[in-house]
Amino acid sequence: MVSSLRIAVITHEIDEFKDSNYLLSHLSRVWQRDGVKIVIVKGVNQELPAADHDILHTDITAVHEDYTRIFSHYPLVINSSVRDISKTVFSDLIVAKNDGYTGKVIVKTNANFGGMRERQEKFNDGDWQSTIDIQRPWRRVEWMEEYPVFDSPSDVPTGVWRNDKLVVEKFLPEQNAQGEYLLKVWVFFGDQGIYYQCVSTDPVIKSRNLIRREFLDVNDVPESIRQVRAKMGFDYGKFDFAIHQGEPVLYDVNRTPGGPKQAVVSETAERSYRILSSGLDSFINQL
């Protein structure tokens, strides 16, 4: 790694990157220890600093066009192709109301992270109602903290099908021999990556219901998942998926993944940061 390197990180105007728990914040600490200078570009209404590389890190589902003008200012922009991570962009699991599918389904927001970042953006733009947690009819729901599972599409409320902010996906979980549920996670930066699975007794796996993590060989990430990364142009990010009846099924893609939530960073986490941060060399070599 070149110690004199200067990297600009483009964040959304609603993001708080400094001292955050974003994974990229942890990777930046590693780079800074190696002598790399990190500068933050918060929003688009500021003078752009000089930098050798730029990383697009806007924590919002779709990147606004006014952010893309920044790209031409830098020699290389990491993740410049990943401008929309809506479910309708990448998901092969979406079902329609009358397409004949009869299995279990899960209702999600089309937006990433339950639509919560769009909710914050609305509040910042003056929509005070976006912070009020009131019971809305399904056809008006824009954000969700929990994704409900239904036994079949026929059980899904009518308002869901009429709401373009929501999607209905096949619910295809993975289980091990003990009946525990598994969620595969692939995190990558350039040519480096880590691969692990989350284990839970809950079919919808979240950090709060996690029993343990089990690290896997990154070479075993399925080819079909790698192909999605290539098609979408991901340089850096996190993919959540499962192996259901022998076939990989992609649940989620994320260009701004978070780091571990524990207050004290573990030795395992630090080792992962070092692996992922070394992926920066693959971009340095492109210039």
Side-chain angles (χ1 to χ4, degrees), residues 2-17:
V2 181
S3 60
S4 60
L5 197 68
R6 186 178 175 91
I7 297 175
V9 178
I10 302 177
T11 69
H12 195 278
E13 59 187 8
I14 67 173
D15 295 341
E16 294 297 336
F17 186 82

Side-chain angles (χ1 to χ4, degrees), residues 36-239:
V36 175
K37 174 68 174 178
I38 305 295
V39 292
I40 308 301
V41 179
K42 186 178 173 67
V44 296
N45 298 317
Q46 63 173 286
E47 184 176 348
L48 298 178
D52 302 292
H53 284 62
D54 179 69
I55 302 176
L56 178 64
H57 197 271
T58 53
D59 191 1
I60 202 82
T61 304
V63 180
H64 299 177
E65 288 187 8
D66 52 352
Y67 282 82
T68 62
R69 72 171 180 82
I70 298 175
F71 297 170
S72 62
H73 188 76
Y74 296 102
L76 187 150
V77 180
I78 294 170
N79 265 2
S80 62
S81 297
V82 190
R83 304 184 187 185
D84 190 348
I85 55 173
S86 302
K87 304 292 189 305
T88 49
V89 170
F90 71 85
S91 179
D92 291 330
L93 301 177
I94 296 175
V95 300
K97 185 176 182 179
N98 298 309
D99 66 2
Y101 183 76
T102 59
K104 285 190 173 184
V105 293
I106 185 169
V107 175
K108 301 179 180 180
T109 56
N110 186 38
N112 187 51
F113 191 52
M116 292 301 177
R117 299 300 291 171
E118 284 70 20
R119 180 185 191 183
Q120 181 64 44
E121 185 179 38
K122 277 193 168 187
F123 175 73
N124 282 27
D125 289 341
D127 183 357
W128 62 270
Q129 288 192 338
S130 64
T131 64
I132 300 176
D133 291 317
I134 61 176
Q135 186 66 38
R136 291 178 168 84
W138 276 108
R139 63 187 177 86
R140 294 183 179 174
V141 169
E142 296 183 43
W143 43 79
M144 301 169 68
E145 293 184 349
E146 301 289 341
Y147 291 158
V149 175
F150 296 91
D151 287 334
S152 73
S154 62
D155 295 321
V156 175
T158 301
V160 171
W161 302 106
R162 297 169 59 191
N163 188 339
D164 62 4
K165 296 290 195 300
L166 304 179
V167 296
V168 180
E169 290 187 330
K170 298 175 184 178
F171 184 63
L172 304 177
E174 178 181 358
Q175 291 179 274
N176 60 19
Q178 292 73 43
E180 297 169 320
Y181 291 92
L182 308 176
L183 174 68
K184 300 286 196 298
V185 180
W186 179 34
V187 187
F188 49 83
F189 194 104
D191 59 3
Q192 298 297 313
I194 59 173
Y195 180 34
Y196 60 90
Q197 64 184 6
C198 301
V199 184
S200 177
T201 56
D202 193 314
V204 181
I205 300 178
K206 302 287 187 180
S207 58
R208 64 178 177 275
N209 59 32
L210 194 64
I211 297 175
R212 65 185 182 277
R213 287 185 177 87
E214 299 172 343
F215 278 83
L216 307 170
D217 187 339
V218 72
N219 294 312
D220 293 335
V221 173
E223 181 59 29
S224 62
I225 300 298
R226 294 180 184 273
Q227 289 174 359
V228 174
R229 174 188 173 180
K231 182 179 180 180
M232 295 188 71
F234 264 89
D235 298 313
Y236 162 63
K238 179 174 76 76
F239 283 16

